[in-house]
Amino acid sequence: MTELPPVIGNSVRRRDSADKASGSALYTDDLWRPGMLHAALLTSPHPSARIISIDGSVAAALPGVKAIVTGADLPTRRWGAFVQDETPLAVDVVRYVGEPVAAVVATDAAAARAALALIDVEYEELTPILSIEDAISPEAVLVHPGFAQYGKRGELGAEGPNEVTQQELTEGDVEGAWADCDEIVEGVYEVPSQSHVYLETVSAIAEFDKSGKLTVWSANQSVSKVLSTLTKALDLPMSKIRVITPAVGGGFGGKSGVTVQPLVAHLARITGKPVKLTLTREDDFMMMRRRHPAIVKVKTGAKADGTLVARDLEVIYDGGAYAEDSPAVLGFGLLMGRGPYRIPHCRLRGSVVYTNKLRAGGFRGFGNPQVTFATESQLDELAERLGLDPLELRLKNALDQDELWIGGQRITSCAFKACLEKARDASDWNTRRQAGREARDGKVRGVGIAGVAHICGLMGTAATIRMAEDGTVTLATSAVDLGQGADTALSQICAGALQIGLERVNLTGADSDAAPYNWSTGGSRVTYMVGRAIVKAADEVRQKLIEHAAELFECAAEDLELRPGGNVGLVGVPEKIVSFQDISLRAHYTSGGPILGSGALVYDGEPFDPKEATIRNYPFERIGTYTFGAQIVEIEVDTVTGQIEIINAWSAHDVGKAINPLAVEGQIQGGFAQGAGYALVEELLWDEGQPINPTMMDYKVPGAPDLPMEIHPIIVENPEPSGPFGAKGVGEPPLIGVAPAIANALAHAAGVRLRRIPMIPERVLDALDQRRQE
Amino acid sequence: MQIHQPADLNDAIRLLASNDEVRCLAGGQSLVPMLNLGLVDPPALVSLRHVAGLDRIERGEDGSLSIGAMASQAALAAFQATGQHQVLVQAARQMAHPAIRNFGTVGGSLCHADPAADLPPAAVAAGATFSISGPGGAREVAAEDFFVDYLTTALSDAEILTGIAVPAPASNSAGHYYKYARVDGDYATVSVAVSLSADAGVCSGARIVLGSCAQVPLRLDEADAALVGSAVVDGSVDTDAVARAGTMLQQAAEPLDDVRGTAAYRRRLIPGLVARAVARAAAEIGT
Amino acid sequence: MSEKTAIVLTVNGQDHAVLLDRPSTLLDVLRHQLHLTGTKQGCNYGVCGACTVLIDGKSARACLALAGDCGGRDVVTVEGLADDPVAIALYEALVAAGGVQCGFCTPGISVALTELLRERDGDRPTRDDIRHWLGGNICRCTGYVKIVEAAEWALEMLETHPIAEESA
Ligand SMILES: Cc1cc2nc3c(=O)[nH]c(=O)nc-3n(C[C@H](O)[C@H](O)[C@H](O)COP(=O)(O)OP(=O)(O)OC[C@H]3O[C@@H](n4cnc5c(N)ncnc54)[C@H](O)[C@@H]3O)c2cc1C
Ligand code: FES
Ligand code: FES
């Protein structure tokens, strides 16, 4: 690649940070509309029940209460990304504790909440499905008896009771391959529900104007998904809907689907007033989304020298009461089942089942952390049996550029080995592996590794660039910045592509009136996918600029080039230039019209190759552009309590090209912190379908004193040919390797293997005691 | 809901006595979360913030310590304590978070009587005496008798805790508060408050008190007695004696069973954490 | 309960007459009556720290202060720190260090750190002091590293450019 513009690879300041730090950035709940009413939700106390009757008459009579709305008051138009199984409020039955049953709209939020207690709902309790085992038992009752009739996208292949989907990716002859293996390890791994706990709870405001146009402000990860769902749910054309995303206080996948927007829009329609709904933290915990818990069965075989030969993996994800993104989550998980390794014989199968619990959805890593916890733990178990260093085992089997991913896609860029090596060197791995394990005061130390892979290419997106009279540009994309810094990175890409200063790029917010389609901020795809669309749009702008300049200079377009600082110049003649401003003025006022560029693309990498693999019910036709990483963690285990403390972490990630290195580091450290929570403390718990810990008091996420300062980000740059300036995504990968790296460090430190996370102290202590007894 | 702000203790008592449901408001750091979650709904609150003289922390000439009920947890955490008094200061330092300690009070924490809270076991270990005023006048109760049950104290209606008094520390003594929690700032899974004194290489007094291991702070005469008379050499106490004490406490414990740990797990932790806490207290005594 | 109580709240140096018709928290009044929305609500029961304000110069949970108990107290929100040299140094450092991602925790963190850095008289807070001070402010995005670094930078800035720190 030729020399990059200075704005690329530069840790320029985030555009939004100063406003956020000083409290002037506005989030949805900070907004206010004249005459605005407030909603509160009555939720189901039962995991499964039939609604016999709802009497809101007493509540409706309270001062300040404007409306009581139930599922029966709303048109039944179900929605869902893959299975149309959701309604804004429960209709006839409730399927999890916390499911909204009725909404109160009142003059203020406290009055609305006060009225909830006076709504009388009569239920007939039904037998709930509370675990994966319950769900798949042949006698299981169905969470969705009407499943067959629901609208669906694509082939889901659901067969067994409560199954949402069933998928498979298989290569080679697994059954035949075991005979070639010198060592085979089998295990069952279990991973919990993790709650997103984004700091801003879900919030939305809806307002109709007199012309009947609906505007919805909300915390979300995709303006486009909200728009398309509102169209269906309200039976309004898209031309009558505007979706705006103010500042968002974190999402991590939890706001990627559609949440309360359709309901709030209905409430605005019913009351004829703007309506705001901001969930309380408890409601958010119980009503929104969570990471899929899963049971992962894995069997891996290798030659005595460590060459991996075969793997059989079967995963069942608990999808909860509604399907949402579950088929995609399973698809991601299976795609990562072989990991970034050469394993010629691989059978990867999985399913998602409904249960009467909170729906599971996308969460940083999207099905990958579950599978990777199992496979990366198992690689260490295998290394131990083979007497090999676990890092060497990974290096030996690591995939390279131009090899095939499972499913037959060629890997266009891969620095996995470099990630392993850099993490190894930075952590002084060999010394730490050999160091004495005993530390002071009943504590033992150990170090562990995990390999990481993910993707960043999927679905469609678009961007437009229009040039103002003065030669500055307005970039429009509906990519939502959840805090990861997309707004800044995308502006940098635009500035870089046009070789102008960042201050000359204006960015529209994520606003459907201003910006074109973008599937979602998710799948680590924004920098890569939206960045590519921006480069395309900039290219069209560049061409038009050059056409104008060619007319001005009366020369051939091929003889012209962009010059840094917003100029077009004649190749080889440094002083022959014309500024963007002059061209734009000409375009606006004398010829050709303002300069506009647009870029749109759907992920266009190689599709799966049916000759390479058996592929069943896979939810995406194309998905890819692989990213790689290596995670090393050093821990200390308290042998008295079983508590694990993280001492050091080295996270190496192949990001292609870091557009904004400081932002990449922030993603790495923040992802590590969430991964540490997942590995060590976080688990949503239920008892007979009742949530046990839906508060921040009881469900703990790591605080500053719980994490080390020594979370060392290692940025590995190996340009991806299709990426904008070589960039790939890094949003999700930093979380993925943390849990297995810690489990492997625990095995190193204390000789015990936990196949279940979170590795809460009690589980660790059980394992230590068991070992002490042996 | 009305918030009264009396400046005088007797007014406060009178206001409290006017209605059973009326409650005191100290720092609000436990009461307001309960209000916000709809768990309590008192018709009125009596703020003790303006009642003069309740927020002092003072060392008497005899070395005894008196802590006003309205002293903030932050003020206690910053207090330069000596000997056994350290157990209280260390407990205060490990409670909650800075902003909560700034406003949460010593008296509020003690009166809330959460079995997982930090100050109650520390107050019992320190051998504090609680001063109470009410419609019937003033009275004193020993720390141990103050904690009656889960969120329940010896205070009767309209009584106010005005402060606690801790006797002067023994000359060669130390206190240590060991808190074990899931994450920083969480309530303890198990905590151990220790107060220890030594005389000529022999343990002359010991109080070991567990938090989260019963509905009230747990102390056993036998366990304390097991330590007294054992050797305290080079800053460590005879390990057999400590192990015996730990086992006795373990057997007597009826630990909480919740998201912070199962009862079985907490029970298992007791001997090891008692040993750790005693060792640290002993190390502070030195030789 | 429907009786209204009138109180005077001093917020950012200004007196506001506020009518309360229920046991409102200071957080509710700040956000919904005074429209000072820089103070955020992340939990409403004291755990997250997004609502941190200064009361009489000390960091406080606005969600755990009853507005009716705040009469006569000096309440300062993040908006009131706009000209505060310590807060300005912190903002600058947080932005430069990359300590801001979604930003929802950041106003609360700025306020909490303002108290720590203001009161440093002589005792320079160590890295561990800062980490433990931040224990009461949950950030789900950053992993805290860059926030702690920012606090250290701000400290350095304040030490190398000592300015009159009395805020208006
Ligand atoms: C997020 C969070 C984390 C916490 N973590 C911990 C922790 O780790 N360890 C810990 O120990 N605590 C913890 N706490 C509790 C905290 O310490 C509280 O401050 C304390 O329990 C109550 O003190 P207060 O002054 O705020 O009392 P308030 O909340 O005002 O009152 C508490 C109760 O005591 C009564 N009361 C108060 N003062 C008196 C008095 N003088 N006489 C009679 N009755 C009185 C009140 O009526 C009320 O019933 C935590 C709290 C929060 C919100
Ligand atoms: S909103 Fe006050 S601490 Fe969370
Ligand atoms: S920046 Fe998002 S919570 Fe801290």
Side-chain angles (χ1 to χ4, degrees):
Chain A
M1 182 164 288
T2 47
E3 206 179 304
L4 294 176
V7 70
I8 301 299
N10 188 334
S11 295
V12 299
R13 292 187 166 211
R14 303 263 296 259
R15 332 192 119 207
D16 49 351
S17 293
D19 278 338
K20 285 176 170 174
S22 59
S24 41
L26 294 174
Y27 299 76
T28 302
D29 189 61
D30 299 337
L31 305 177
W32 174 90
R33 305 294 303 157
M36 185 170 80
L37 301 175
H38 298 260
L41 301 178
L42 182 70
T43 58
S44 165
H46 304 297
S48 178
R50 192 176 313 288
I51 300 171
I52 306 293
S53 64
I54 305 181
D55 179 1
S57 56
V58 180
L62 281 188
V65 172
K66 299 292 178 191
I68 310 277
V69 177
T70 70
D73 300 326
L74 303 176
T76 315
R77 283 193 207 90
R78 294 179 186 272
W79 77 77
F82 290 88
V83 181
Q84 285 161 19
D85 58 4
E86 291 220 42
T87 50
L89 292 170
V91 177
D92 300 331
V93 291
V94 287
R95 295 190 174 84
Y96 65 95
V97 173
E99 177 160 16
V101 169
V104 177
V105 187
T107 45
D108 66 274
R113 272 178 216 138
L116 295 177
L118 299 177
I119 301 176
D120 192 14
V121 187
E122 196 188 329
Y123 293 98
E124 176 198 336
E125 287 189 57
L126 303 172
T127 312
I129 297 292
L130 298 176
S131 66
I132 290 175
E133 293 80 0
D134 276 5
I136 60 178
S137 118
E139 303 88 66
V141 294
L142 297 183
V143 175
H144 286 272
F147 182 74
Q149 285 82 54
Y150 293 157
K152 297 186 189 74
R153 200 190 95 194
E155 195 50 63
L156 298 171
E159 281 174 13
N162 289 308
E163 211 167 72
V164 177
T165 180
Q166 202 191 82
Q167 301 168 18
E168 177 174 355
L169 282 175
T170 293
E171 283 187 18
D173 169 19
V174 177
E175 290 306 337
W178 301 122
D180 294 342
C181 300
D182 297 316
E183 198 66 73
I184 297 172
V185 189
E186 274 184 87
V188 179
Y189 302 80
E190 223 179 304
V191 292
S193 267
Q194 183 181 23
S195 181
H196 300 79
V197 198
Y198 31 68
L199 213 53
E200 176 209 25
T201 59
V202 158
S203 178
I205 301 172
E207 177 174 22
F208 282 89
D209 69 14
K210 294 280 178 290
S211 77
K213 181 170 176 179
L214 168 68
T215 301
V216 175
W217 295 261
S218 68
N220 66 68
Q221 296 180 215
S222 170
V223 168
S224 309
K225 281 194 198 179
V226 174
L227 180 63
S228 62
T229 304
L230 286 172
T231 290
K232 268 186 231 114
L234 281 100
D235 198 17
L236 275 177
M238 289 191 180
S239 56
K240 286 280 186 197
I241 306 175
R242 179 179 185 190
V243 177
I244 301 175
T245 311
V248 178
F252 317 118
K255 295 170 182 169
S256 70
V258 173
T259 57
V260 298
Q261 296 92 347
L263 173 62
V264 180
H266 277 301
L267 298 177
R269 181 184 262 173
I270 289 167
T271 57
K273 294 274 178 157
V275 174
K276 179 196 272 186
L277 172 64
T278 299
L279 296 187
T280 63
R281 178 57 67 181
E282 302 75 78
D283 281 350
D284 196 290
F285 262 113
M286 298 207 291
M287 204 183 277
M288 284 296 120
R289 278 126 187 83
R290 58 182 174 125
R291 189 188 296 288
H292 289 72
I295 297 173
V296 195
K297 271 194 234 164
V298 200
K299 180 173 172 184
T300 307
K303 296 275 193 199
D305 69 352
T307 307
L308 297 174
V309 175
R311 169 166 297 159
D312 193 10
L313 179 145
E314 198 174 348
V315 55
I316 308 180
Y317 292 94
D318 169 359
Y322 295 96
E324 233 236 2
D325 271 340
S326 282
V329 166
L330 172 60
F332 268 60
L334 290 186
L335 193 60
M336 300 301 153
R338 192 180 73 177
Y341 307 103
R342 247 170 265 120
I343 311 181
H345 306 281
C346 255
R347 180 168 61 197
L348 312 174
R349 292 173 298 180
S351 60
V352 182
V353 295
Y354 282 125
T355 58
N356 287 112
K357 290 187 184 172
L358 176 65
R359 80 175 76 53
F363 189 162
R364 207 173 197 165
F366 227 78
N368 183 347
Q370 292 90 326
V371 163
T372 295
F373 171 67
T375 56
E376 287 295 318
S377 294
Q378 189 160 81
L379 278 187
D380 265 46
E381 296 174 56
L382 189 61
E384 195 180 333
R385 293 254 198 107
L386 293 167
L388 293 174
D389 176 85
L391 200 150
E392 288 303 322
L393 176 74
R394 288 172 172 84
L395 270 175
K396 182 180 175 70
N397 292 284
L399 283 173
D400 259 325
Q401 207 143 308
D402 294 329
E403 292 191 81
L404 302 185
W405 196 261
I406 186 149
Q409 300 160 294
R410 199 155 300 283
I411 302 165
T412 45
S413 64
C414 173
F416 181 45
K417 280 185 183 160
C419 290
L420 289 166
E421 287 161 353
K422 288 192 183 208
R424 176 192 64 198
D425 297 346
S427 65
D428 203 357
W429 168 262
N430 293 327
T431 317
R432 280 177 212 269
R433 267 313 265 199
Q434 276 140 34
R437 292 166 174 184
E438 198 72 33
R440 71 219 142 66
D441 214 7
K443 295 183 181 166
V444 290
R445 273 202 184 201
V447 56
I449 184 162
V452 176
H454 204 62
I455 56 128
C456 62
L458 74 158
M459 305 304 284
T461 195
T464 65
I465 298 173
R466 71 193 140 90
M467 189 165 278
E469 295 92 309
D470 66 352
T472 64
V473 297
T474 291
L475 167 65
T477 94
S478 56
V480 175
D481 191 330
L482 302 170
Q484 80 280 33
D487 283 359
T488 308
L490 296 179
S491 301
Q492 283 177 267
I493 291 172
C494 179
L498 292 171
Q499 300 190 44
I500 55 180
L502 198 56
E503 70 291 346
R504 293 192 175 207
V505 178
N506 170 44
L507 186 71
T508 65
D511 176 343
S512 64
D513 265 12
Y517 179 86
N518 172 48
W519 174 67
S520 183
T521 296
S524 307
R525 64 187 284 284
V526 167
T527 302
Y528 173 73
M529 290 296 298
V530 185
R532 288 180 63 189
I534 292 171
V535 169
K536 268 189 162 185
D539 206 53
E540 189 177 337
V541 169
R542 188 186 62 86
Q543 275 173 26
K544 289 182 178 170
L545 285 164
I546 284 179
E547 278 166 25
H548 279 281
E551 281 174 31
L552 269 173
F553 290 165
E554 298 180 340
C555 70
E558 300 78 56
D559 296 336
L560 294 169
E561 63 184 0
L562 289 197
R563 296 263 176 86
N567 296 295
V568 177
L570 195 59
V571 176
V573 189
E575 64 285 359
K576 187 78 175 171
I577 57 168
V578 55
S579 70
F580 286 5
Q581 174 166 18
D582 287 345
I583 298 175
S584 190
L585 286 170
R586 177 178 190 268
H588 275 85
Y589 303 119
T590 63
S591 88
I595 292 174
L596 302 171
S598 74
L601 74 153
V602 172
Y603 177 65
D604 53 357
E606 280 186 26
F608 291 114
D609 182 351
K611 289 196 295 299
E612 291 287 337
T614 308
I615 299 162
R616 283 199 303 123
N617 308 324
Y618 203 74
F620 299 101
E621 225 158 84
R622 283 159 201 259
I623 174 170
T625 305
Y626 292 86
T627 64
F628 302 90
Q631 180 67 59
I632 291 179
V633 183
E634 184 179 33
I635 61 166
E636 208 167 82
V637 187
D638 185 333
T639 57
V640 171
T641 61
Q643 195 167 41
I644 292 173
E645 185 186 353
I646 299 169
I647 306 296
N648 262 304
W650 296 268
S651 315
H653 289 279
D654 167 16
V655 301
K657 169 74 198 170
I659 302 291
N660 187 320
L662 194 65
V664 171
E665 287 184 13
Q667 287 301 296
I668 292 177
Q669 290 167 334
F672 180 87
Q674 279 178 356
Y678 184 50
L680 298 179
V681 284
E682 296 184 39
E683 178 167 24
L684 276 174
L685 297 165
W686 283 263
D687 180 21
E688 298 294 318
Q690 297 291 334
I692 291 179
N693 55 350
T695 70
M696 288 182 78
M697 204 74 204
D698 290 337
Y699 182 100
K700 282 294 174 187
V701 302
D706 304 311
L707 293 166
M709 285 293 285
E710 291 71 29
I711 306 173
H712 308 288
I714 302 167
I715 298 178
V716 179
E717 295 190 319
N718 173 47
E720 157 60 37
S722 65
F725 300 102
K728 300 196 274 192
V730 71
E732 296 166 286
L735 178 143
I736 295 166
V738 183
I742 293 178
N744 293 338
L746 174 64
H748 179 234
V752 298
R753 167 67 54 190
L754 286 196
R755 295 196 181 86
R756 178 170 179 199
I757 52 172
M759 291 172 264
I760 56 169
E762 183 164 10
R763 288 183 189 140
V764 176
L765 197 60
D766 281 343
L768 291 173
D769 280 357
Q770 210 176 342
R771 191 184 146 83
R772 282 187 273 239
Q773 276 158 24
E774 275 162 14
Chain B
M1 188 186 72
Q2 240 195 321
I3 302 179
H4 302 287
Q5 301 187 311
D8 177 88
L9 187 62
N10 291 325
D11 288 345
I13 293 169
R14 207 168 29 70
L15 286 162
L16 283 172
S18 66
N19 179 330
D20 280 0
E21 306 283 298
V22 175
R23 289 204 184 208
C24 303
L25 172 64
Q29 306 298 297
S30 287
L31 191 54
V32 181
M34 295 195 293
L35 281 171
N36 290 353
L37 291 169
L39 303 175
V40 294
D41 186 17
L45 294 176
V46 179
S47 169
L48 302 182
R49 211 157 50 77
H50 299 273
V51 176
L54 288 186
D55 62 352
R56 283 198 279 264
I57 303 182
E58 283 170 338
R59 208 190 322 262
E61 274 169 23
D62 60 349
S64 65
L65 184 63
S66 71
I67 306 171
M70 288 300 288
S72 74
Q73 294 154 9
L76 178 57
F79 188 74
Q80 295 293 327
T82 56
Q84 286 136 329
H85 293 171
Q86 288 163 25
V87 70
L88 280 162
V89 171
Q90 289 180 10
R93 284 189 187 150
Q94 294 176 68
M95 299 175 70
H97 311 295
I100 290 173
R101 296 196 293 266
N102 277 343
F103 292 87
T105 66
V106 173
S109 171
L110 295 172
C111 294
H112 189 57
D114 190 315
D118 297 305
L119 286 182
V124 174
T129 303
F130 287 43
S131 302
I132 297 169
S133 287
R139 63 184 180 115
E140 292 191 340
V141 299
E144 265 177 290
D145 301 328
F146 184 78
F147 301 104
V148 174
D149 203 345
Y150 177 76
L151 304 188
T152 310
T153 66
L155 291 174
S156 44
D157 281 348
E159 280 192 323
I160 291 174
L161 175 71
T162 54
I164 66 172
V166 190
S171 60
N172 199 22
S173 71
H176 187 83
Y177 187 75
Y178 188 91
K179 177 170 179 176
Y180 170 61
R182 295 180 298 173
V183 295
D184 176 82
D186 192 13
Y187 281 95
T189 300
V190 167
S191 66
V192 187
V194 177
S195 141
L196 205 62
S197 59
D199 198 1
V202 172
C203 175
S204 55
R207 289 167 78 83
I208 308 173
V209 188
L210 304 184
S212 299
C213 287
Q215 299 301 313
V216 295
L218 178 69
R219 190 189 71 80
L220 291 181
D221 284 339
E222 317 87 271
D224 293 346
L227 290 195
V228 176
S230 61
V232 182
V233 186
D234 290 340
S236 68
V237 184
D238 175 40
T239 46
D240 286 345
V242 178
R244 261 181 286 131
T247 307
M248 288 178 206
L249 286 160
Q250 184 178 39
Q251 278 160 2
E254 286 175 33
L256 306 181
D257 193 345
D258 61 24
V259 291
R260 295 184 183 85
T262 62
Y265 173 60
R266 293 183 208 239
R267 191 186 297 282
R268 277 157 79 190
L269 293 177
I270 293 171
L273 293 185
V274 165
R276 205 170 257 182
V278 172
R280 293 191 183 181
E284 281 162 37
I285 291 190
T287 38
Chain C
M1 233 181 77
S2 53
E3 261 172 63
K4 294 201 187 217
T5 326
I7 58 159
V8 175
L9 274 185
T10 310
V11 180
N12 301 332
Q14 252 185 307
D15 287 351
H16 299 268
V18 174
L19 278 180
L20 303 174
D21 57 359
R22 61 171 61 82
S24 307
T25 62
L26 177 62
L27 179 61
D28 271 340
V29 173
L30 291 174
R31 288 186 57 79
H32 300 129
Q33 296 201 35
L34 306 183
H35 297 290
L36 292 168
T37 54
T39 308
K40 305 297 181 200
Q41 175 172 322
C43 68
N44 211 31
Y45 38 76
V47 181
C48 74
C51 67
T52 308
V53 297
L54 297 175
I55 298 181
D56 296 332
K58 302 258 175 222
S59 58
R61 301 289 203 233
C63 71
L64 299 188
L66 290 174
D69 195 37
C70 288
R73 290 165 127 174
D74 174 29
V75 177
V76 175
T77 68
V78 68
E79 290 88 351
L81 294 174
D83 299 321
D84 182 279
V86 174
I88 289 170
L90 276 166
Y91 298 156
E92 172 66 23
L94 279 164
V95 174
V100 185
Q101 288 194 26
C102 83
F104 205 77
C105 68
T106 321
I109 282 179
S110 302
V111 174
L113 286 175
T114 298
E115 184 197 4
L116 179 72
L117 301 200
R118 262 189 194 168
E119 299 205 338
R120 68 190 188 285
D121 46 58
D123 277 352
R124 189 179 204 273
T126 62
R127 181 166 266 207
D128 271 351
D129 292 340
I130 297 168
R131 286 173 63 228
H132 281 93
W133 190 264
L134 285 174
N137 291 81
I138 295 298
C139 172
R140 191 59 159 163
C141 298
T142 62
Y144 306 100
V145 177
K146 296 196 184 309
I147 298 176
V148 175
E149 284 168 356
E152 292 174 333
W153 288 12
L155 204 52
E156 270 168 44
M157 272 191 267
L158 291 166
E159 281 169 351
T160 46
H161 304 284
I163 9 172
E165 281 173 24
E166 277 73 57
S167 59

